[in-house]
Amino acid sequence: MKWDELEEEPCSMARTIGVIGDRWTLLILRECFLRTRRFEGFQSALGITRHLLAERLKKLVRQGVLRRIPYQESPKRHEYILTQKGLDLYPIMMALVHWGDTHMVDERGRPLLHEHRKCGKMFDPVMVCSECGEPLSAKEVHVHPGPGASPALEKASLEKKAKLKSRKAAA
Amino acid sequence: MKWDELEEEPCSMARTIGVIGDRWTLLILRECFLRTRRFEGFQSALGITRHLLAERLKKLVRQGVLRRIPYQESPKRHEYILTQKGLDLYPIMMALVHWGDTHMVDERGRPLLHEHRKCGKMFDPVMVCSECGEPLSAKEVHVHPGPGASPALEKASLEKKAKLKSRKAAA
DNA sequence: TTTGACAGTTCAATTTTAGAACTGTATGAA
DNA sequence: TTCATACAGTTCTAAAATTGAACTGTCAAA
């Protein structure tokens, strides 16, 4: 599979993965949410090679996740700022952090705590149903094909194709 | 950076990324949540090379995300099943899907719809504060160092080191 | 006039991944 | 019995991505 094909798959998860689904991109986005904005900032915080950093930033800008905004003329310098599309990645980031907090901490405990400004407390993120507000778990959710083709359907049709093919080969 | 170092970083997100932060792993996990359990199932659904699939499955088992369970003797065959640790990845998966649904759909609309068994409605996942139940946004959250070292501190100390180094070089 | 900050670009060497074929056990059909 | 198929991998080479390090170019401050 070529990775730019991912963005055209009839699966929202695959498309998302096509945009942010590699390690450096996720770490770059972590830095964005920690208020890093400049090339050198990302580079020194992450130790990523300058080559890759330039490439990833370009891609994120192309995808509309970051906006490249000049902060000085001569020499032209730009900052990379999260767009709304980028800010909307926040639940993904929090979900990643929370899983790590739950399953990957060492003896010392959590590296970071999160305070919710509105209520003033340290919190964990909880994913709930938009309709009834109850916490979600995999087992309580059923999947249906939507107006765009579903990966399940696609899977079935791929399997059909494979069978046809092998029959042809046999004939 | 070597990728197995990620798991030891004092950042829960980095550690999570070390486990599930590559494209194929995320797609394999998607299949797991869609009830795929066997080698051939993953391979034909995803088109991943058998080589990589074998490797990724091994890694997920090693990390405790999947359990490898025999379902027949002679020839020995195993299924790959999500552990609780794996099931706990569900919010991450849903967050990825939801972002794709919001920002990456084409004219045809969503590939999949999600029904919440408890309330019987099609829903979107919403991330809320465990303490007050309000939806979360990046701007309302403040980050504090926890008992394990924080990436912000680490960042600061790295920058200090870099400065010391450059001063030494100058001297 | 030299040094350093900043934001990249270039290039060879290494590492990962893709693609395809091969191994080995067992079942069911001809 | 022999052949084809299902299944779960392993092995190999070619292609692609990543690393590490050096280089480019502009400007400001010393």
Side-chain angles (χ1 to χ4, degrees):
Chain A
M1 187 187 298
K2 282 121 202 173
W3 287 114
D4 30 339
E5 285 173 24
L6 259 189
E7 284 152 43
E8 288 148 35
E9 278 216 14
C11 167
S12 289
M13 207 179 122
R15 289 178 194 163
T16 302
I17 292 170
V19 179
I20 63 155
D22 80 286
R23 309 197 206 266
W24 282 126
T25 300
L26 286 165
L27 290 172
I28 289 168
L29 287 168
R30 177 190 79 186
E31 289 306 309
C32 290
F33 279 100
L34 292 173
R35 316 271 193 275
T36 299
R37 297 156 175 256
R38 301 185 183 177
F39 194 92
E40 293 296 315
F42 292 109
Q43 207 280 321
S44 70
L46 298 174
I48 185 176
T49 63
R50 312 176 72 76
H51 184 47
L52 254 202
L53 175 57
E55 169 140 315
R56 291 290 191 269
L57 288 173
K58 245 177 228 160
K59 180 169 183 189
L60 287 170
V61 169
R62 205 166 56 238
Q63 294 284 354
V65 170
L66 298 179
R67 205 193 316 280
R68 191 161 175 269
I69 296 179
Y71 69 91
Q72 68 171 42
E73 296 294 317
S74 84
K76 276 220 167 190
R77 291 279 184 264
H78 301 84
E79 292 187 313
Y80 296 89
I81 317 263
L82 288 164
T83 60
Q84 187 57 49
K85 187 172 174 180
L87 286 167
D88 287 350
L89 291 167
Y90 192 65
I92 299 176
M93 302 291 130
M94 284 305 281
L96 289 168
V97 170
H98 184 237
W99 190 84
D101 279 344
T102 307
H103 293 288
M104 304 293 291
V105 288
D106 56 29
E107 334 69 57
R108 294 178 304 166
R110 301 186 176 191
L112 285 187
L113 300 175
H114 298 269
E115 179 190 346
H116 190 212
R117 282 300 189 71
K118 270 195 183 164
C119 69
K121 296 189 183 137
M122 299 300 177
F123 73 98
D124 284 327
V126 179
M127 186 155 277
V128 302
C129 169
S130 58
E131 304 308 306
C132 70
E134 288 293 307
L136 290 171
S137 79
K139 283 167 191 168
E140 293 160 3
V141 173
H142 250 232
V143 168
H144 301 273
S150 84
L153 291 176
E154 200 215 10
K155 186 183 157 187
S157 88
L158 278 176
E159 279 166 359
K160 258 185 220 163
K161 271 184 211 163
K163 275 194 185 159
L164 283 173
K165 209 169 145 193
S166 65
R167 270 175 210 169
K168 267 184 209 164
Chain B
M1 188 186 297
K2 282 120 201 173
W3 287 114
D4 31 338
E5 286 172 24
L6 258 190
E7 284 152 43
E8 289 149 34
E9 279 217 11
C11 167
S12 289
M13 207 179 122
R15 289 177 195 165
T16 302
I17 291 171
V19 180
I20 64 157
D22 79 287
R23 308 186 195 288
W24 281 125
T25 300
L26 287 166
L27 290 171
I28 289 168
L29 288 167
R30 176 190 80 186
E31 290 307 308
C32 290
F33 280 100
L34 291 172
R35 315 272 192 276
T36 299
R37 299 159 174 261
R38 301 186 183 175
F39 193 93
E40 293 297 314
F42 292 110
Q43 205 282 319
S44 70
L46 297 175
I48 184 177
T49 62
R50 312 176 72 76
H51 184 47
L52 256 201
L53 176 57
E55 170 140 314
R56 292 292 192 266
L57 288 173
K58 243 176 232 161
K59 181 169 182 188
L60 287 170
V61 169
R62 206 166 54 239
Q63 293 284 354
V65 169
L66 298 179
R67 204 192 318 278
R68 191 163 175 266
I69 295 178
Y71 69 90
Q72 68 172 41
E73 296 293 320
S74 83
K76 277 219 168 192
R77 293 279 184 266
H78 302 83
E79 293 187 314
Y80 296 91
I81 317 263
L82 288 164
T83 59
Q84 187 57 51
K85 186 171 174 181
L87 285 168
D88 287 350
L89 291 166
Y90 192 64
I92 298 176
M93 302 291 129
M94 284 305 279
L96 290 168
V97 170
H98 185 238
W99 190 83
D101 279 344
T102 308
H103 292 288
M104 303 293 290
V105 289
D106 55 30
E107 335 70 55
R108 294 178 304 166
R110 301 185 176 191
L112 285 186
L113 301 175
H114 298 268
E115 180 192 346
H116 190 211
R117 280 302 189 69
K118 270 196 182 163
C119 69
K121 295 188 184 139
M122 299 299 176
F123 72 98
D124 284 327
V126 179
M127 188 157 274
V128 302
C129 169
S130 59
E131 304 308 306
C132 71
E134 287 292 306
L136 290 171
S137 78
K139 285 168 191 167
E140 293 160 3
V141 173
H142 249 232
V143 169
H144 302 271
S150 84
L153 291 177
E154 200 213 12
K155 187 182 157 187
S157 88
L158 277 176
E159 279 166 2
K160 258 183 220 162
K161 271 184 211 163
K163 274 192 185 158
L164 282 173
K165 206 170 147 193
S166 66
R167 270 174 209 167
K168 266 184 210 163

